[in-house]
Structures are given as structure tokens and as C-alpha cells.
Amino acid sequence: MWQGGSFNAAKNGPSRPVSAYSFNATVSWRFARWWGKPAIGLQADAISGGDTRKSQTSSWGNFLSPFVPSAYYLDMSTYIGNSNLIDVGPLATIATSRNTSLLLKVPVIWRNSTNDAIYANPTAAYNFRPQGGYTATMPQASFTWRATRHVTFSLDGEYIFASRAMIKAGASSGAYVQSNLELTF
């Protein structure tokens, strides 16, 4: 995806051109004849960041998702938002029964531009400005049970291993667990 146009700062601030991008890819191979039809693959993303050294004079380069189709596409906790990052990591899925599945993945994250911050989700009031590029490693698991056509339960978990630089900038490592009950009619 590419974003263009112009960014107009609040209160009649300067107008700047926008040139930002997001590249997202998942490649996997499914073993359809094996029990559980497991799949193994790789997820990679590159999402542009800005340059705070030239923030008033350069084009706006930080990609901003107008909407997030999955609140936790990359980070279940939304501690690290989908801006200014590069990630790559393995993923695996298995259908543990006819109506259950398990997804495992381990994204390793770096800053796309070391001249810009790591941003949380778009509504958070904080960002981190660490030294260096490496940001975090986040092993994740998601178990889904489709009890009926109308009822789905999921249990998701992740642990964020924040880099030393992120911790020095105010972030912390930690666990996140979430359960969802979805009723569809």
C-alpha cells in the first residue's frame, strides 16, 4: 500500500507532502495429507517511518493505517503499532480437530527508520525513541474453537521481549492474554 497527498498540521501549521508505504506478506505451505493439516510459513512486513530530524521540512513518511482489519495482526496487545517497523518471523498453524485450530508465530521487530520513534496503537498517548534498530521479539499463540456455526471462542497470548534499548526508552517486557467470545447471527 502507498499513501500520498498532503498533511496539514493543526492550527494552520505548515502543509507537507505525504509519501508512505506498507508492505505485508505471508507465505506458507500446508501439508494437506498430514493429521491436522499443518502449515508452516513466514510472515514479513515493512512499514515506513518518518525522520524526526527533518520533521518540519520533509515529506510525511510515517504510514498510518486508516483502519486495522485485525486489531492484532502483528502485536496482539497493540503495544507496538503498525508504523515505522520491519518484522520477519516464522508461523505455524494446525487444525487440532474439525472445529479447533492453533496458530503460533514469532515476529522479530526492528525500526524501519532509526530517525523515528516506535509508536503504539494510533489511540495511545505514548511512543518510544530507543537507540538502535532492534525493537522486540514477540512469541504468540492463538487457540480458536468454533463451538457452533454461531459461537466461536478464542484464547490468545503473547510475550513481548523488549530490547534493552526499548526498556531504556521506557518500554517493558511482559505477557498479554486475551479471550474472545464471538456470537454471529
Side-chain angles (χ1 to χ4, degrees):
M1 294 176 273
W2 177 80
Q3 289 178 339
S6 63
F7 174 81
N8 299 309
K11 298 183 181 179
N12 298 320
S15 178
R16 297 167 45 197
V18 174
S19 182
Y21 66 88
S22 177
F23 171 80
N24 315 96
T26 302
V27 177
S28 64
W29 180 265
R30 180 164 307 280
F31 297 91
R33 294 192 173 145
W34 292 12
W35 174 86
K37 298 180 176 152
I40 57 171
L42 190 68
Q43 176 178 322
D45 305 282
I47 304 170
S48 66
D51 188 342
T52 55
R53 297 172 303 165
K54 301 185 281 184
S55 63
Q56 298 301 315
T57 58
S58 66
S59 65
W60 181 269
N62 204 334
F63 184 83
L64 178 61
S65 295
F67 63 92
V68 181
S70 172
Y72 47 82
Y73 165 74
L74 177 65
D75 175 14
M76 294 177 188
S77 68
T78 65
Y79 194 56
I80 296 174
N82 290 331
S83 289
N84 190 36
L85 62 86
I86 295 173
D87 74 88
V88 66
L91 59 92
T93 60
I94 187 167
T96 50
S97 74
R98 211 183 92 216
N99 59 348
T100 60
S101 64
L102 179 64
L103 166 69
L104 304 168
K105 63 182 184 174
V106 186
V108 179
I109 300 170
W110 298 267
R111 287 192 297 166
N112 192 333
S113 170
T114 56
N115 296 317
D116 198 4
I118 288 292
Y119 298 93
N121 69 61
T123 60
Y126 63 89
N127 60 54
F128 303 109
R129 296 187 182 279
Q131 297 294 316
Y134 171 65
T135 301
T137 300
M138 300 186 304
Q140 302 169 9
S142 180
F143 176 77
T144 303
W145 172 42
R146 187 162 175 107
T148 70
R149 192 174 119 192
H150 302 287
V151 179
T152 303
F153 175 78
S154 65
L155 184 61
D156 307 307
E158 126 181 318
Y159 194 89
I160 299 171
F161 292 98
S163 69
R164 285 188 207 128
M166 283 285 284
I167 291 170
K168 190 175 178 181
S172 62
S173 295
Y176 177 81
V177 177
Q178 171 180 312
S179 62
N180 297 303
L181 180 63
E182 183 179 320
L183 305 173
T184 307
F185 295 98

Coordinates of all heavy atoms in Angstrom, one line a residue, residues 79-80 108-111 118 128-137 159-174:
Y79 N 0.7 -3.0 21.8 CA 1.8 -2.2 22.4 C 2.7 -1.6 21.4 O 3.1 -0.4 21.6 CB 2.6 -3.2 23.3 CG 3.5 -2.5 24.3 CD1 3.0 -1.7 25.3 CD2 4.8 -2.9 24.4 CE1 3.8 -1.1 26.2 CE2 5.7 -2.3 25.4 CZ 5.1 -1.4 26.3 OH 6.0 -0.9 27.2
I80 N 2.9 -2.3 20.3 CA 3.7 -1.7 19.2 C 2.8 -1.6 18.0 O 2.2 -2.6 17.5 CB 4.9 -2.6 18.9 CG1 5.9 -2.7 20.1 CG2 5.6 -2.2 17.6 CD1 7.0 -3.6 19.9
V108 N 10.0 -11.0 14.8 CA 11.1 -10.2 15.3 C 11.0 -8.8 14.7 O 10.9 -8.7 13.5 CB 12.5 -10.9 15.0 CG1 13.6 -10.1 15.5 CG2 12.5 -12.3 15.6
I109 N 11.1 -7.8 15.5 CA 10.8 -6.4 15.0 C 12.0 -5.5 15.1 O 12.6 -5.5 16.2 CB 9.6 -5.9 15.8 CG1 8.4 -6.8 15.6 CG2 9.2 -4.5 15.4 CD1 7.2 -6.5 16.5
W110 N 12.2 -4.7 14.1 CA 13.1 -3.6 14.0 C 12.4 -2.3 13.6 O 11.4 -2.4 13.0 CB 14.2 -3.9 13.0 CG 15.0 -5.1 13.2 CD1 16.2 -5.2 13.9 CD2 14.7 -6.4 12.8 NE1 16.7 -6.5 13.9 CE2 15.8 -7.2 13.2 CE3 13.7 -7.0 12.0 CZ2 15.8 -8.6 12.9 CZ3 13.7 -8.3 11.8 CH2 14.8 -9.1 12.2
R111 N 13.1 -1.2 13.9 CA 12.6 0.1 13.4 C 12.9 0.2 12.0 O 14.1 -0.1 11.6 CB 13.1 1.3 14.2 CG 12.6 1.4 15.6 CD 12.9 2.7 16.2 NE 14.3 2.8 16.4 CZ 14.9 4.0 16.7 NH1 14.2 5.1 16.8 NH2 16.2 4.0 16.9
I118 N 9.1 4.4 17.8 CA 8.3 3.3 17.8 C 6.9 3.8 18.4 O 6.9 4.3 19.5 CB 8.8 2.1 18.6 CG1 10.0 1.5 17.9 CG2 7.7 1.1 18.9 CD1 9.7 0.8 16.7
F128 N 8.0 5.4 21.9 CA 9.3 5.1 22.4 C 10.4 5.6 21.4 O 10.2 5.3 20.2 CB 9.5 3.6 22.7 CG 8.5 3.1 23.7 CD1 7.5 2.3 23.2 CD2 8.5 3.5 25.0 CE1 6.5 1.8 24.1 CE2 7.5 3.0 25.9 CZ 6.5 2.1 25.5
R129 N 11.4 6.2 21.9 CA 12.5 6.6 21.0 C 13.8 5.9 21.4 O 14.7 6.6 22.0 CB 12.7 8.1 21.0 CG 11.5 8.8 20.5 CD 11.7 10.3 20.4 NE 10.5 11.0 19.9 CZ 10.1 11.0 18.6 NH1 10.9 10.4 17.7 NH2 9.0 11.6 18.2
P130 N 14.0 4.6 21.1 CA 15.2 3.9 21.6 C 16.4 4.2 20.7 O 16.2 4.8 19.6 CB 14.8 2.5 21.4 CG 13.8 2.5 20.3 CD 13.0 3.8 20.5
Q131 N 17.6 3.9 21.1 CA 18.8 3.9 20.3 C 18.8 2.6 19.5 O 18.5 1.5 20.0 CB 20.0 4.1 21.1 CG 20.0 5.4 21.9 CD 20.1 6.6 21.0 OE1 20.9 6.6 20.0 NE2 19.3 7.6 21.3
G132 N 19.3 2.6 18.3 CA 19.4 1.4 17.5 C 18.1 0.9 16.9 O 17.1 1.6 17.0
G133 N 18.2 -0.2 16.1 CA 17.1 -0.6 15.3 C 16.2 -1.7 15.9 O 15.0 -1.7 15.8
Y134 N 16.9 -2.7 16.6 CA 16.2 -3.9 17.1 C 15.2 -3.4 18.2 O 15.5 -2.6 19.0 CB 17.1 -4.9 17.6 CG 16.4 -6.0 18.4 CD1 15.6 -6.9 17.7 CD2 16.6 -6.2 19.7 CE1 14.9 -7.9 18.4 CE2 16.0 -7.2 20.4 CZ 15.1 -8.0 19.8 OH 14.5 -9.0 20.5
T135 N 14.0 -3.9 18.1 CA 12.9 -3.4 19.0 C 12.4 -4.5 19.9 O 12.4 -4.3 21.1 CB 11.7 -2.9 18.1 OG1 12.2 -1.9 17.3 CG2 10.6 -2.4 19.0
A136 N 12.0 -5.7 19.4 CA 11.4 -6.7 20.3 C 11.3 -8.0 19.5 O 11.3 -8.1 18.3 CB 10.0 -6.3 20.8
T137 N 11.1 -9.1 20.3 CA 10.7 -10.4 19.8 C 9.4 -10.8 20.5 O 9.4 -10.6 21.7 CB 11.8 -11.4 20.0 OG1 13.0 -11.0 19.3 CG2 11.4 -12.8 19.5
Y159 N 4.1 -12.9 24.5 CA 5.0 -12.3 25.5 C 5.9 -11.4 24.7 O 6.4 -11.8 23.6 CB 5.9 -13.4 26.2 CG 6.6 -12.8 27.3 CD1 6.1 -12.8 28.6 CD2 7.9 -12.2 27.1 CE1 6.7 -12.2 29.6 CE2 8.6 -11.6 28.2 CZ 8.0 -11.6 29.5 OH 8.6 -11.0 30.5
I160 N 6.1 -10.2 25.1 CA 6.9 -9.2 24.5 C 8.3 -9.2 25.1 O 8.4 -8.8 26.3 CB 6.3 -7.8 24.5 CG1 5.0 -7.8 23.8 CG2 7.2 -6.7 23.9 CD1 4.2 -6.5 24.0
F161 N 9.3 -9.6 24.4 CA 10.7 -9.5 24.9 C 11.2 -8.2 24.3 O 11.7 -8.1 23.2 CB 11.5 -10.6 24.4 CG 11.2 -12.0 25.0 CD1 10.4 -12.9 24.4 CD2 11.7 -12.3 26.3 CE1 10.0 -14.1 24.9 CE2 11.3 -13.5 26.9 CZ 10.5 -14.4 26.2
A162 N 11.1 -7.1 25.0 CA 11.5 -5.8 24.6 C 13.1 -5.7 24.6 O 13.7 -6.3 25.4 CB 11.0 -4.7 25.4
S163 N 13.6 -5.0 23.6 CA 15.1 -4.9 23.5 C 15.6 -4.0 24.7 O 14.8 -3.3 25.3 CB 15.5 -4.2 22.2 OG 15.1 -2.9 22.2
R164 N 16.9 -4.1 25.0 CA 17.5 -3.3 26.1 C 17.2 -1.8 25.8 O 16.9 -1.0 26.7 CB 18.9 -3.5 26.2 CG 19.2 -4.8 26.9 CD 20.7 -5.0 27.2 NE 21.0 -6.4 27.2 CZ 22.0 -6.9 26.6 NH1 22.8 -6.3 25.8 NH2 22.2 -8.2 26.6
A165 N 17.4 -1.4 24.5 CA 17.2 0.0 24.1 C 15.7 0.4 24.3 O 15.5 1.5 24.8 CB 17.6 0.2 22.6
M166 N 14.8 -0.5 24.0 CA 13.4 -0.1 24.3 C 13.1 0.0 25.8 O 12.4 0.9 26.2 CB 12.4 -1.2 23.7 CG 12.3 -1.1 22.2 SD 11.2 0.2 21.7 CE 9.6 -0.5 22.1
I167 N 13.7 -0.8 26.6 CA 13.5 -0.8 28.0 C 14.1 0.5 28.6 O 13.5 1.2 29.4 CB 14.1 -2.0 28.7 CG1 13.2 -3.2 28.4 CG2 14.1 -1.8 30.2 CD1 13.8 -4.6 28.8
K168 N 15.3 0.9 28.1 CA 15.9 2.1 28.5 C 15.1 3.3 28.1 O 15.1 4.4 28.7 CB 17.3 2.2 27.8 CG 18.1 3.3 28.3 CD 19.5 3.3 27.8 CE 20.4 4.4 28.3 NZ 21.7 4.4 27.7
A169 N 14.3 3.2 27.0 CA 13.4 4.3 26.5 C 12.1 4.4 27.2 O 11.3 5.2 26.9 CB 13.2 4.2 25.0
G170 N 11.8 3.4 28.1 CA 10.6 3.5 28.9 C 9.6 2.3 28.7 O 8.6 2.2 29.4
A171 N 9.9 1.4 27.7 CA 9.1 0.3 27.5 C 9.4 -0.8 28.5 O 10.3 -0.7 29.3 CB 9.3 -0.3 26.1
S172 N 8.6 -1.9 28.5 CA 8.9 -3.0 29.3 C 8.5 -4.3 28.7 O 7.7 -4.3 27.8 CB 8.2 -2.9 30.7 OG 6.8 -2.9 30.5
S173 N 9.1 -5.4 29.1 CA 8.7 -6.7 28.6 C 7.5 -7.2 29.4 O 7.3 -6.7 30.5 CB 9.9 -7.7 28.8 OG 11.0 -7.4 28.0
G174 N 6.7 -8.1 28.8 CA 5.5 -8.5 29.6 C 4.7 -9.4 28.8 O 4.8 -9.6 27.6

